[in-house]
């Protein structure tokens, strides 16, 4: 084996925890640094580094000083702001799309134009730059109507208006809050899935798929969040349906990236709904998902370092091998998330239980006395021989905790037929 290398992961959430942990476990890797990381990362041998993810110059300096072979960029805002362009200009390798391709997530309008240009199926939609036109546009759609802010909103810039009154109020509020553009979209029905494609300039591999749960409360009620829980694989999605997604969505998307000369090296996350008329894309994201990453990476049997290293160096990609085990995880969030999350509550120490992994996100303090830092705090996750076993183990662990200033959803996996009754 060649010499072991140092790597840098940019970001601080549960997603970056899972990426850094997986990379640190590779035999090719000496040390993974994570900037800024979080205090939970030392539990898996990853070293947090006190540099903000927006401080590109500081990150570049660190990467050079610490002999970092390449950097894996977790969050979308850095990618949209051109972190990969800056690293490349400094002669460094970073995994993620450049700013031009990152517009696929940074602007809904840009993404819809791309889908229209390259024949990628999506919801019927229209984009508006002023309030009068948007209000008039409401008549072109039925209800419920999906209303989306054009820019990045952490998964929270989408409102599904059940009626005309809510639609009109939402449009006025979005323009009043400074949105320059918004999108109206037909509301699709069907199950929602996350597909992750690892791209190396036109060559690609499909990573394990997952289902996220975007609404805050049980029964898919409450506001949209960054995601409250996930599992993989998806027993309700047949091999034929997965292949249909590859043929009808992934292929035209990758062909479009090649034809448009995007030179995309990174992850493309395709959010889609499997409708009666086939798969339709509801969003592109230019990075891994949070919390899906925390459940898909444990199932990845191919070395993540090798996959990324080859993708970055334009070498043939290894096959993606997936564990037959099932992965299941539930997010523990601060009470009040996403509108007004509690900050600074004492969480104490999370008990270590065989088979249970804790992917830390917004936590501060130290391992013996952790403190909540707002938002999604951590994910409790496990791998087991069946999804139901994994589900039961995670919920038994959560039920044993005493965290009154936190909450979690109790119905993660219900759409795969998982239940607490079993
Ligand atoms: P987005 O930020 O585009 O991912 O949207 C956030 C969430 O809103 C998605 O995860 C879906 O649950 C929902 N959503 C977005 N677009 C649509 C649509 N056209 N039809 C139904 N639900 C949608
Ligand atoms: N899990 C949704 C997202 O990462 O955007």
């Amino acid at each position: 084996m060649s010499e072991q290398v140092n790597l840098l992961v940019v970001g601080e959430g549960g997603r970056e925890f899972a990426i850094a942990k997986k990379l640190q476990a590779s035999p090719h890797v000496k040390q993974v640094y994570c900037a800024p990381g979080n205090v939970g990362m030392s539990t898996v041998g990853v070293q947090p580094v006190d540099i903000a993810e927006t401080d590109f110059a500081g990150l570049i300096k660190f990467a050079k000083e610490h002999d970092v072979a390449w950097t894996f960029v977790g969050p979308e805002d850095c990618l949209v702001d051109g972190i990969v362009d800056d690293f490349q200009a400094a002669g460094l390798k970073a995994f993620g799309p450049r700013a031009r391709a990152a517009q696929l997530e940074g602007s809904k309008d840009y993404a819809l134009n791309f889908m229209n240009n390259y024949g990628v199926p999506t919801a019927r939609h229209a984009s508006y730059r002023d309030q009068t036109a948007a209000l008039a546009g409401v008549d072109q759609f039925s209800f419920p109507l999906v209303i989306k802010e054009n820019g990045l909103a952490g998964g929270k810039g989408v409102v599904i208006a059940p009626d005309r009154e809510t639609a009109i109020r939402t449009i006025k509020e979005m323009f009043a809050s400074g949105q320059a553009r918004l999108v109206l979209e037909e509301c699709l029905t069907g199950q929602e899935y996350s597909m992750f494609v690892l791209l190396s300039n036109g060559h690609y591999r499909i990573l394990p798929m997952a289902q996220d749960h975007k609404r805050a409360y049980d029964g898919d009620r409450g506001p949209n969040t960054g995601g409250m829980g996930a599992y993989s694989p998806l027993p309700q999605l047949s091999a034929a349906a997965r292949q249909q997604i590859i043929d009808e969505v992934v292929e035209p998307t990758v062909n479009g990236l090649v034809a448009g000369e995007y030179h995309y090296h990174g992850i493309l996350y395709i959010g889609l709904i499997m409708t009666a008329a086939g798969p339709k894309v509801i969003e592109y994201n230019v990075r891994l998902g949070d919390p899906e990453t925390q459940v898909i990476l444990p199932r990845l049997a191919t070395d993540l370092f090798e996959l990324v290293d080859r993708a970055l160096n334009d070498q043939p990609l290894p096959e993606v091998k997936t564990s037959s085990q099932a992965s299941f995880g539930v997010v523990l969030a601060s009470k009040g998330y996403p509108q007004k999350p509690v900050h600074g509550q004492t969480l104490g120490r999370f008990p270590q239980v065989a088979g249970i992994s804790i992917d830390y996100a917004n936590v501060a303090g130290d391992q013996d006395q952790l403190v909540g830092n707002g938002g999604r705090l951590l994910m409790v996750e496990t791998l087991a021989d069946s999804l139901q076993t994994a589900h039961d183990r995670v919920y038994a662990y959560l039920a044993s905790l005493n965290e009154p200033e936190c909450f979690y959803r109790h119905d993660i996996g219900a759409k795969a037929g998982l239940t607490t009754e079993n």
Side-chain angles (χ1 to χ4, degrees):
M1 191 176 63
S2 54
E3 221 182 304
Q4 287 187 316
V5 300
N6 295 332
L7 302 176
L8 174 63
V9 175
V10 175
E12 62 186 345
R15 166 183 53 208
E16 288 76 21
F17 184 103
I19 296 166
K21 173 175 147 182
K22 189 79 177 178
L23 291 172
Q24 185 65 60
S26 166
H28 298 289
V29 175
K30 185 157 67 191
Q31 182 63 53
V32 179
Y33 302 100
C34 189
N38 67 59
V39 293
M41 289 183 176
S42 59
T43 58
V44 289
V46 172
Q47 201 171 310
V49 177
D50 191 16
I51 304 174
E53 58 195 40
T54 47
D55 179 5
F56 299 169
L59 295 169
I60 287 168
K61 184 163 174 281
F62 180 90
K64 287 189 170 166
E65 285 172 0
H66 292 79
D67 222 2
V68 163
W70 43 256
T71 297
F72 193 122
V73 183
E76 59 274 19
D77 37 5
C78 304
L79 293 163
V80 170
D81 288 344
I83 189 170
V84 174
D85 310 61
D86 282 15
F87 267 68
Q88 288 177 352
L92 296 175
K93 290 198 164 91
F95 193 57
R98 296 197 289 242
R100 177 172 166 248
Q103 292 175 91
L104 288 171
E105 176 163 4
S107 162
K108 303 270 185 211
D109 197 41
Y110 189 93
L112 289 168
N113 280 328
F114 179 94
M115 291 182 229
N116 294 338
N117 285 343
Y118 297 111
V120 180
T122 184
R124 193 167 68 80
H125 57 268
S127 170
Y128 300 94
R129 285 168 187 273
D130 75 85
Q131 182 171 309
T132 314
L135 291 174
V138 170
D139 292 330
Q140 309 300 314
F141 293 88
S142 51
F143 297 98
L145 170 61
V146 181
I147 308 171
K148 298 185 175 181
E149 295 178 356
N150 185 55
L152 291 181
K156 294 155 223 155
V158 175
V159 171
I160 300 180
D163 51 45
R164 178 167 242 289
E165 197 190 328
T166 317
I168 303 239
R169 192 181 61 238
T170 304
I171 291 169
K172 288 184 177 167
E173 280 170 7
M174 283 185 180
F175 278 112
S177 74
Q179 280 299 312
R181 206 186 290 191
L182 54 81
V183 173
L184 301 186
E185 218 171 79
E186 151 201 27
C187 188
L188 301 170
T189 45
Q191 285 208 42
E192 185 174 341
Y193 301 113
S194 306
M195 178 168 251
F196 300 96
V197 185
L198 181 140
L199 276 147
S200 176
N201 197 20
H203 301 280
Y204 70 87
R205 291 286 182 265
I206 310 282
L207 301 181
M209 290 184 70
Q211 185 170 57
D212 188 12
H213 296 69
K214 307 252 173 157
R215 301 294 196 99
Y217 314 131
D218 290 0
D220 286 337
R221 280 192 278 272
N224 266 323
T225 68
M228 296 298 291
Y231 61 93
S232 176
L234 306 169
Q236 68 277 47
L237 188 77
S238 67
R242 179 179 176 276
Q243 189 58 46
Q244 189 186 4
I245 297 172
I246 294 172
D247 295 343
E248 295 178 15
V249 171
V250 177
E251 284 284 332
T253 298
V254 174
N255 291 342
L257 289 172
V258 172
E261 298 184 12
Y262 286 89
H263 303 289
Y264 198 118
H265 293 79
I267 305 286
L268 183 72
Y269 157 176
I270 305 177
L272 58 93
I273 291 182
M274 203 65 188
T275 73
K280 295 197 194 255
V281 176
I282 52 170
E283 63 173 344
Y284 285 131
N285 295 310
V286 296
R287 36 87 194 169
L288 283 166
D290 187 340
E292 294 97 319
T293 304
Q294 294 91 308
V295 296
I296 65 169
L297 291 188
R299 295 192 61 233
L300 187 66
T302 306
D303 189 320
L304 180 63
F305 171 86
E306 279 178 32
L307 265 171
V308 175
D309 194 64
R310 283 168 169 261
L312 270 171
N313 290 300
D314 287 304
Q315 290 168 343
L317 297 173
E319 289 308 318
V320 165
K321 294 201 197 85
T322 304
S323 153
S324 60
Q325 286 197 301
S327 184
F328 182 91
V330 177
V331 168
L332 185 72
S334 268
K335 227 171 158 174
Y337 173 75
Q339 301 99 326
K340 263 186 136 229
V342 169
H343 273 260
Q345 72 271 48
T346 301
L347 302 170
R349 188 187 172 85
F350 286 87
Q352 283 183 312
V353 169
I356 290 283
S357 300
I358 299 194
D359 290 348
Y360 291 100
N362 279 306
V363 290
D366 63 54
Q367 282 314 310
D368 289 324
Q369 198 58 282
L370 288 171
V371 173
N373 217 3
R376 296 182 292 172
L377 302 170
L378 54 86
M379 186 176 207
V380 177
E381 172 260 311
T382 197
L383 264 184
D385 288 341
S386 78
L387 268 178
Q388 186 68 50
T389 305
H391 165 281
D392 294 350
R393 192 184 293 156
V394 166
Y395 276 119
Y397 183 87
L398 283 163
S400 75
L401 301 177
N402 179 21
E403 298 289 355
E405 296 300 304
C406 303
F407 78 101
Y408 58 87
R409 274 183 65 160
H410 301 82
D411 63 343
I412 302 302
K415 295 194 190 88
L418 304 182
T419 132
T420 37
E421 259 67 74
N422 286 0

